Amino acid sequence: MPPRLLHILSRGGLLPPPLRRRSPSPLLRRIPLAKRPGAFFLSPVRAFSGHSGMAADSLEQQRRRSVVVRETVELTEKEEQIFQRLLEVVRHFGLGTQLRVAGGWVRDKLLGKDSADIDIALDNMMGQNFCEKVNEYLESIGEKQKGIGVIQCNPDQSKHLETARMLILDTWIDFVNLRSETYAENSRIPTMEVGTAKEDAYRRDLTINSLFFNINNNSVEDLTGRGIEDLKRGLIVTPLPAKATFLDDPLRVLRAIRFAARFNFTLAEDLKEAASDERVKSELGNKISRERIGHEIDLMMSDKHPVKAMCDIRDLGLFYAVFSLPENSSPSVFDKCDQQCVSHIEAAWNLAYSIGSPVFSSGSDPKLQDEQRRLCLYSALFTPLRNMFYLDKKSKKVPVSSYIIKNSLKLKASDAETVVNVHAASEKFAELVLLLESNVDVGTLKKKLEDEYLEIPTDSVKRVFAGLILREIKDFWRVALLISVLTYPEAENAADVINKQDELRLRKEKYTRVERAITDLDLDGVWKLKPVLDGKSIMGVMQVKSGGPLIGKWQQRALKWQLAHPNGTMDECIEWMKQSQSKRQKVETST
């Protein structure tokens, strides 16, 4: 749910959309890092093209390694123009304001990454007041004023104070005042006060997020005294004692895990101890909305090292606080459920990484590929729960995985539906894999697919069966196949696939063979196949004026006929219908 809009100021002001990433300008200006040597470049890892979660560095290797931080902050030409415009406003009105870019932008710049998330912290005025000054300045130089969006405090969205937003040189910029905060005993809503830059730095969630870039003097400010050092060491640390930080705002536990996974950094020992504290776990479940928890988990799943994040959640004992289960499930929650779930996502990650990009080859649409990757990970994580159900308020039998996605994480209902469908399709794929991988008799399956009106040629049975599965799961068929190959035949533990290279190789080869067989059957994209006969045509053949269950049955028969006769025409299908009806009538008459 988006933050609530308090009001809109100036002409044509609409609350701007979330910031979009911009392409960096080739013209860069180097800004020296005050008294901090080093340089850093972290190459991006996307989808399954990088290290798998457990194939990454060992914890000891991570502790020993040193992340080199850039000596300079490199500004794009657009960033330099934006900052100069803001300084012009300060000088024009004699405001004496120190302008600081806060948080993630500074961190990402020092890590050699582009960042579109520019938040300006002001030391002597509110964000809305500064934006009004910007508009006054624009009017004085003959430029059109901009709309100002003011977002009110909304703790459930991690918005603890008023934020003003406006376009500066066609880029959305957020403006906030420096602040300090204290928390009440039973609330994560802080009491906000105007603070100093140092107080603001210490109230941040992590030291690597507490850095400022001072626009006035072109320098990076590390006011906690350890933000840059922790960045170099690849260490996730809180500026203040970790337990107090987490009890003030338990959502920061998940943020710490998310940033550790994003950058493949190590959680500090005192932070892990605090995150594992029973009171912190309880507060995470009681103080934080399920929407916020789900948002953090979804960010982890969409990032570069989701398995590392899930392993941290498991190892810190947070699994059941994050993925809350229904009270009465059947069968009941089994022992070490958290370990089994994380082992499955880890095995799926390693298997998909081993197979490569074809797992998510849905044309050239990167959004769809990212969506398949994300839902593949959820499907793998909840695979051990695929046969567990609970009764909802209407006594309807609902998969536990659906409950977790919709109730525990408050994600989209379509996400839950896709995961349930992937689990169902993976079981059907297990039977298909057996058919494609061996010379077993297809007689039983042939009888299951046929009825008194439809006969399927024996050599078409596999194609019909596979086609029906793919039409149900559509673009996610490779995901369902991956889960099926991972799960069937049952390993003693998903860890077998993780730890035994031979087992991983065998399952990769099986996936490749089955995928090739489906492709050879010309079934990739079969869900886009237009029915050779639609309901109206079938009604015409049967000489009836209205539809109903009978027409639905014939539509399904016609689909099977079409899959069995991929080159068949409409006229041939109509002729088959007439002949099958005629044969049936003769049988009934003779009987």
Side-chain angles (χ1 to χ4, degrees):
M1 182 182 297
R4 289 172 289 172
L5 182 63
L6 179 60
H7 56 266
I8 303 295
L9 306 176
S10 300
R11 293 193 287 258
L14 295 176
L15 183 63
L19 290 171
R20 299 185 296 271
R21 293 194 63 80
R22 305 186 304 278
S23 299
S25 167
L27 300 176
L28 299 174
R29 177 185 174 192
R30 292 181 175 272
I31 305 298
L33 176 60
K35 301 179 182 179
R36 299 289 178 179
F40 176 78
F41 177 75
L42 181 63
S43 60
V45 184
R46 190 173 184 275
F48 291 99
S49 59
H51 291 297
S52 72
M54 296 307 288
D57 296 340
S58 69
L59 184 58
E60 189 59 34
Q61 287 174 317
Q62 291 180 31
R63 285 173 178 160
R64 290 199 305 266
R65 80 167 177 219
S66 174
V67 177
V68 184
V69 179
R70 280 180 180 261
E71 291 185 11
T72 58
V73 169
E74 295 183 346
L75 299 182
T76 65
E77 183 179 26
K78 174 56 72 71
E79 289 167 342
E80 185 175 353
Q81 292 171 351
I82 291 170
F83 296 164
Q84 286 302 316
R85 172 57 58 90
L86 297 179
L87 287 173
E88 289 169 7
V89 174
V90 172
R91 287 192 290 264
H92 180 81
F93 294 104
L95 300 176
T97 305
Q98 290 289 307
L99 303 170
R100 293 177 171 89
V101 188
W105 182 91
V106 187
R107 176 201 66 225
D108 289 348
K109 284 291 185 177
L110 293 179
L111 294 178
K113 299 174 180 293
D114 183 40
S115 177
D117 189 11
I118 302 178
D119 297 331
I120 304 295
L122 310 164
D123 69 336
N124 63 355
M125 61 196 314
M126 301 292 287
Q128 176 185 329
N129 296 337
F130 186 82
C131 290
E132 291 169 348
K133 288 296 183 183
V134 172
N135 270 338
E136 287 184 44
Y137 177 74
L138 292 176
E139 187 174 35
S140 73
I141 61 174
E143 292 189 17
K144 185 179 179 180
Q145 295 188 357
K146 305 296 182 182
I148 304 171
V150 180
I151 306 169
Q152 70 179 38
C153 304
N154 190 342
D156 282 339
Q157 296 291 328
S158 291
K159 288 287 184 184
H160 296 315
L161 79 168
E162 180 182 290
T163 301
R165 173 179 265 201
M166 74 181 302
L167 273 174
I168 304 292
L169 299 177
D170 299 321
T171 300
W172 291 111
I173 308 293
D174 285 357
F175 296 88
V176 296
N177 61 289
L178 294 172
R179 67 272 198 192
S180 63
E181 58 189 31
T182 56
Y183 288 82
E185 178 68 22
N186 295 314
S187 174
R188 64 181 292 261
I189 302 175
T191 300
M192 305 303 306
E193 297 177 354
V194 175
T196 65
K198 188 170 185 177
E199 288 174 329
D200 191 284
Y202 273 97
R203 69 153 196 91
R204 303 272 169 171
D205 54 358
L206 303 170
T207 56
I208 64 171
N209 294 337
S210 68
L211 300 166
F212 291 114
F213 175 72
N214 190 312
I215 296 174
N216 298 65
N217 58 28
N218 293 333
S219 67
V220 173
E221 297 174 338
D222 183 1
L223 301 179
T224 67
R226 60 175 302 173
I228 293 173
E229 184 63 29
D230 289 336
L231 203 56
K232 288 181 179 180
R233 296 169 62 195
L235 199 59
I236 298 296
V237 184
T238 55
L240 297 173
K243 185 175 179 179
T245 297
F246 293 157
L247 289 176
D248 282 344
D249 185 355
L251 187 66
R252 288 176 169 176
V253 176
L254 298 183
R255 284 177 57 82
I257 292 172
R258 175 162 63 87
F259 283 112
R262 173 184 294 181
F263 300 114
N264 203 20
F265 283 3
T266 303
L267 297 171
E269 289 302 318
D270 65 326
L271 185 149
K272 290 195 291 185
E273 182 178 348
S276 302
D277 183 85
E278 291 301 323
R279 186 182 171 195
V280 170
K281 293 180 194 177
S282 175
E283 294 289 88
L284 178 61
N286 295 329
K287 271 191 177 184
I288 307 300
S289 71
R290 283 286 141 189
E291 289 82 357
R292 292 303 298 153
I293 291 176
H295 179 66
E296 287 295 325
I297 296 300
D298 218 33
L299 289 174
M300 295 176 198
M301 288 294 203
S302 303
D303 221 325
K304 290 178 288 191
H305 299 286
V307 174
K308 176 174 167 38
M310 294 303 108
C311 287
D312 283 339
I313 286 174
R314 174 199 61 196
D315 296 343
L316 295 173
L318 297 169
F319 186 88
Y320 299 106
V322 172
F323 305 107
S324 62
L325 301 172
E327 292 183 2
N328 299 312
S329 62
S330 178
S332 57
V333 178
F334 53 88
D335 188 37
K336 298 182 179 179
C337 170
D338 56 339
Q339 295 183 30
Q340 283 288 316
C341 287
V342 176
S343 290
H344 274 77
I345 190 175
E346 191 173 354
W349 175 274
N350 286 354
L351 181 57
Y353 171 60
S354 173
I355 294 167
S357 59
V359 179
F360 308 109
S361 56
S362 295
S364 58
D365 186 351
K367 289 185 178 180
L368 181 55
Q369 291 179 22
D370 289 343
E371 186 73 350
Q372 288 180 349
R373 170 190 182 272
R374 183 179 72 90
L375 291 173
C376 174
L377 293 171
Y378 279 119
S379 299
L381 181 66
F382 301 135
T383 291
L385 312 178
R386 66 190 181 282
N387 294 320
M388 293 175 59
F389 299 86
Y390 79 103
L391 296 180
D392 65 9
K393 294 179 181 179
K394 298 180 180 180
S395 297
K396 182 181 177 182
K397 193 177 179 182
V398 179
V400 166
S401 58
S402 178
Y403 174 91
I404 296 173
I405 293 171
K406 292 199 295 186
N407 297 77
S408 299
L409 303 179
K410 296 294 184 181
L411 300 180
K412 297 179 294 185
S414 59
D415 289 347
E417 182 181 1
T418 298
V419 169
V420 170
N421 288 341
V422 165
H423 288 161
S426 69
E427 293 191 25
K428 294 178 182 178
F429 262 122
E431 187 174 354
L432 176 63
V433 168
L434 183 62
L435 283 173
L436 297 175
E437 287 278 279
S438 64
N439 295 318
V440 297
D441 181 25
V442 298
T444 302
L445 180 59
K446 186 175 186 297
K447 291 180 181 178
K448 191 191 322 185
L449 294 171
E450 294 177 338
D451 62 20
E452 63 269 29
Y453 294 98
L454 174 67
E455 292 184 10
I456 299 174
T458 300
D459 58 359
S460 297
V461 170
K462 294 178 181 179
R463 189 177 196 277
V464 174
F465 184 56
L468 293 174
I469 297 175
L470 265 63
R471 284 182 68 87
E472 289 181 10
I473 199 66
K474 299 179 182 177
D475 283 305
F476 284 84
W477 74 265
R478 286 184 172 88
V479 172
L481 176 59
L482 178 85
I483 300 299
S484 182
V485 170
L486 174 68
T487 312
Y488 304 98
E490 296 281 358
E492 292 182 9
N493 191 303
D496 292 346
V497 182
I498 306 169
N499 298 323
K500 297 178 181 178
Q501 285 301 311
D502 287 344
E503 185 69 28
L504 181 65
R505 177 181 55 79
L506 289 173
R507 298 201 181 219
K508 172 188 174 182
E509 291 172 354
K510 177 175 289 189
Y511 174 94
T512 303
R513 287 194 303 270
V514 175
E515 182 196 39
R516 186 181 299 117
I518 289 174
T519 304
D520 290 344
L521 289 171
D522 195 25
L523 289 173
D524 191 7
V526 69
W527 54 91
K528 301 175 185 176
L529 183 68
K530 183 179 179 181
V532 67
L533 290 181
D534 58 18
K536 187 176 180 180
S537 300
I538 292 173
M539 288 167 59
V541 174
M542 300 188 67
Q543 299 181 348
V544 296
K545 295 183 178 180
S546 61
L550 179 63
I551 301 301
K553 289 180 180 180
W554 273 105
Q555 283 180 303
Q556 187 68 6
R557 291 184 187 114
L559 173 60
K560 292 177 183 178
W561 182 92
Q562 187 175 1
L563 289 170
H565 305 83
N567 297 318
T569 65
M570 178 188 294
D571 291 339
E572 289 172 340
C573 188
I574 291 174
E575 182 62 26
W576 157 75
M577 277 192 66
K578 290 178 177 178
Q579 288 182 1
S580 62
Q581 286 180 300
S582 176
K583 288 180 182 179
R584 180 62 183 168
Q585 289 172 354
K586 289 179 181 179
V587 171
E588 290 176 349
T589 301
S590 63
T591 302

